[in-house]
Amino acid sequence: MNATLTAAALTETERARILAKAALFSPPTPLTADGRRDLVGMSRDELAAELAAIGEQPFRVKQLWHWIYHQGVTDFARMSSIARPLQQKLADKFVIGRPEAATVQTSSDQTRKWLFRFRDGQQAETVYIPDPEQDRGALCISSQIGCTLSCTFCHTGTQTLVRNLGPAEIVGQFMAARDTYGEWPSPKGETPRLLSTIVLMGMGEPLYNYENVAQAMKIVMDNEGIALSRRRITLSTSGVVPMMDRAGADLGVNLAVSLHAVRDDLRDELVPLNRKYPIADLLAACRRYPGASNARRITFEYVMLKNINDTEADARELVRLITGIPAKVNLIPFNPWPGSTYETSSGNALHRFAKIVMDAGYASPIRTPRGRDILAACGQLKTDSERRKKAGALPLDPVARSTHSRDGDKSPNPMT
Ligand code: SAH
Ligand code: SF4
């Protein structure tokens, strides 16, 4: 085997390992207490199989899809193109569910945060961030309850991974938020909607829950339903290199990469996953990312930590590293949380850094903190959920900062 083949085979093995470990954290089957199955989150094929099991024809999939994802109805009785007896039959077997909003908070800047509770009682946060210049905004969605990674500046990172969210729960966050703003039916074309963009930047690492995230995004992008363009979806990763190619090829959504440091020694500390996939490998994956162009740039996220990663030399090195990648750099002033040890970079440091990046030809917006009064910035999220304790499970270790394993996963943890 030549070197390229070996590398490709290694990546395939690594991908299989990541997918197998994700399966250990699978969500429960979406069933109500009385045993009815939630239709939200099913692929078209799964929906067809459920319908076939109750003796219904495949053409019903298109009808149901329209009612569920275009019209946004949650009650079979409102599906006027379906005859009453079938409406009843469907209601006996199925529901069109939504996660329950345990709390909703609206910030003085109109940022809104939901704490959604799922059927097993686990909770995750979703944030709506309005665009102050336009009549629209982005919904920041969670992909996991907790996170296996332990980025030292991240609030979610202090919480162990409880489980992955399923497609119903991921799409459900968007659908429930859309209910709140009364934005059904889904618009055709570019009709403005407040919820016009999805960023997978909430709790969790989406590429460690790839299959559920991918199924959810395919539902959201389906042209006969919510129909959000892939250009309006951004997936943020801390750098799960083997899955980046897969996401690019399968989904083609925009990519955001949480870089945060320009030297491996520092990134090893801030984003411990770097020990497994160092900066050079990460940037190589960015260079390969399909569809990256000047019109569709890769976003590098860079959290500005006072006296840690915010010098002019860091900015120059950042520019050198990303040379040749169609990119923009989001500078995020560190958002402190109770117990965090970092400080936010000074305004001067932020502007000096931004200028160097901008002068090199890359957009480098400083992300104004939103929703600070309700602790709602993306990447700021943490619930008080507890990891399920299974018989024989490893001891509960909620922080485990001192027990990082080689690939930066918290240990003890079967993702390692
Ligand atoms: N796990 C993914 C997506 C969720 S985090 C990832 O790491 O990319 C979304 C973004 O919020 C990341 O860029 C993350 O680094 C950033 N973030 C996390 N905690 C933050 C904080 N306290 N202040 C500012 N940004 C933070
Ligand atoms: Fe997980 Fe992202 Fe937070 Fe890192 S920054 S701990 S990957 S959610």
Side-chain angles (χ1 to χ4, degrees), residues 147 149 151 154 157 204 238:
C147 188
L149 303 168
C151 304
C154 172
S238 57

Side-chain angles (χ1 to χ4, degrees), residues 10 17 51 53 57 112 133 157 200-201 208 215 251 280 333-334 376 390:
L10 273 177
R17 186 191 75 95
L51 291 171
Q57 298 292 320
R112 184 170 294 182
E133 270 127 50
L200 280 155
M201 291 185 186
Y208 268 171
Q215 179 155 332
L251 303 175
F334 169 65
K390 289 190 229 142

Side-chain angles (χ1 to χ4, degrees), residues 147-151 153-157 202-205 238 258 260 271 379:
C147 188
T148 47
L149 303 168
S150 322
C151 304
F153 51 85
C154 172
H155 206 192
T156 307
M203 293 170 65
E205 169 49 61
S238 57
S258 295
H260 307 317
V271 184

Side-chain angles (χ1 to χ4, degrees), residues 204-387:
E205 169 49 61
L207 294 186
Y208 268 171
N209 181 20
Y210 181 69
E211 284 173 341
N212 290 315
V213 166
Q215 179 155 332
M217 291 307 110
K218 284 177 186 167
I219 292 171
V220 163
M221 292 189 283
D222 187 296
N223 264 333
E224 291 177 8
I226 295 168
L228 216 62
S229 143
R230 63 193 166 86
R231 290 165 211 285
R232 298 204 160 274
I233 300 174
T234 300
L235 183 150
S236 174
T237 181
S238 57
V240 184
V241 167
M243 299 308 297
M244 286 165 64
D245 301 284
R246 173 66 60 88
D250 275 11
L251 303 175
V253 296
N254 299 324
L255 183 70
V257 170
S258 295
L259 190 62
H260 307 317
V262 292
R263 299 186 325 268
D264 279 322
D265 61 336
L266 179 60
R267 195 164 188 272
D268 281 352
E269 192 185 313
L270 299 179
V271 184
L273 185 65
N274 195 68
R275 298 173 206 174
K276 194 164 185 71
Y277 307 118
I279 293 174
D281 294 5
L282 178 57
L283 294 177
C286 292
R287 288 178 205 282
R288 291 193 299 268
Y289 194 74
S293 66
N294 273 333
R296 288 191 68 211
R297 285 175 276 181
I298 292 180
T299 304
F300 288 98
E301 293 161 278
Y302 197 94
V303 60
M304 294 289 285
L305 306 168
K306 186 176 190 171
N307 300 334
I308 303 276
N309 65 355
D310 62 352
T311 66
E312 295 184 27
D314 288 316
R316 282 191 294 270
E317 179 59 7
L318 174 61
V319 166
R320 195 188 68 78
L321 285 175
I322 64 175
T323 298
I325 303 177
K328 69 172 182 176
V329 179
N330 269 354
L331 298 175
I332 320 170
F334 169 65
N335 232 330
W337 35 271
S340 60
T341 50
Y342 297 106
E343 287 175 67
T344 311
S345 296
S346 68
N348 265 345
L350 272 160
H351 286 106
R352 273 200 311 264
F353 198 107
K355 185 166 186 324
I356 292 171
V357 178
M358 200 165 57
D359 287 349
Y362 298 96
S364 55
I366 297 172
R367 288 287 159 209
T368 337
R370 313 295 309 275
R372 275 205 168 181
D373 49 342
I374 56 168
L375 213 70
C378 278
Q380 267 273 254
L381 308 177
K382 181 177 187 292
T383 64
D384 294 324
S385 52
E386 263 196 39
R387 184 173 188 166

Side-chain angles (χ1 to χ4, degrees), residues 168-226:
E169 296 165 330
I170 298 169
V171 182
Q173 294 171 61
F174 181 85
M175 297 178 86
R178 189 171 255 184
D179 293 346
T180 315
Y181 290 95
E183 295 207 314
W184 299 104
S186 299
K188 290 275 183 215
E190 286 293 294
T191 318
R193 280 290 187 274
L194 291 174
L195 270 70
S196 57
T197 306
I198 287 180
V199 291
L200 280 155
M201 291 185 186
M203 293 170 65
E205 169 49 61
L207 294 186
Y208 268 171
N209 181 20
Y210 181 69
E211 284 173 341
N212 290 315
V213 166
Q215 179 155 332
M217 291 307 110
K218 284 177 186 167
I219 292 171
V220 163
M221 292 189 283
D222 187 296
N223 264 333
E224 291 177 8
I226 295 168

Side-chain angles (χ1 to χ4, degrees), residues 54-209:
I54 59 162
E56 292 301 326
Q57 298 292 320
F59 78 89
R60 296 287 181 199
V61 170
K62 198 176 164 71
Q63 262 180 339
L64 276 169
W65 198 273
H66 174 83
W67 286 112
I68 299 172
Y69 297 112
H70 180 72
Q71 300 288 352
V73 308
T74 51
D75 182 355
F76 293 102
R78 286 192 50 208
M79 299 184 173
S80 53
S81 60
I82 295 178
R84 277 279 142 84
L86 179 54
Q87 287 178 359
Q88 192 52 52
K89 186 171 159 191
L90 290 168
D92 289 343
K93 297 271 180 199
F94 304 114
V95 291
I96 302 161
R98 295 285 192 267
E100 174 199 349
T103 60
V104 185
Q105 287 169 280
T106 306
S107 159
S108 49
D109 65 13
Q110 297 312 307
T111 299
R112 184 170 294 182
K113 178 168 83 169
W114 295 258
L115 178 60
F116 283 120
R117 189 186 295 129
F118 304 107
R119 288 194 184 89
D120 63 352
Q122 293 295 344
Q123 310 189 120
E125 291 181 15
T126 306
V127 182
Y128 173 69
I129 306 157
D131 181 333
E133 270 127 50
Q134 292 186 41
D135 217 7
R136 44 176 56 188
L139 193 71
C140 177
I141 284 184
S142 292
S143 57
Q144 298 183 305
I145 295 176
C147 188
T148 47
L149 303 168
S150 322
C151 304
T152 45
F153 51 85
C154 172
H155 206 192
T156 307
T158 63
Q159 190 189 309
T160 195
L161 178 69
V162 177
R163 66 168 176 82
N164 285 326
L165 293 180
E169 296 165 330
I170 298 169
V171 182
Q173 294 171 61
F174 181 85
M175 297 178 86
R178 189 171 255 184
D179 293 346
T180 315
Y181 290 95
E183 295 207 314
W184 299 104
S186 299
K188 290 275 183 215
E190 286 293 294
T191 318
R193 280 290 187 274
L194 291 174
L195 270 70
S196 57
T197 306
I198 287 180
V199 291
L200 280 155
M201 291 185 186
M203 293 170 65
E205 169 49 61
L207 294 186
Y208 268 171
N209 181 20

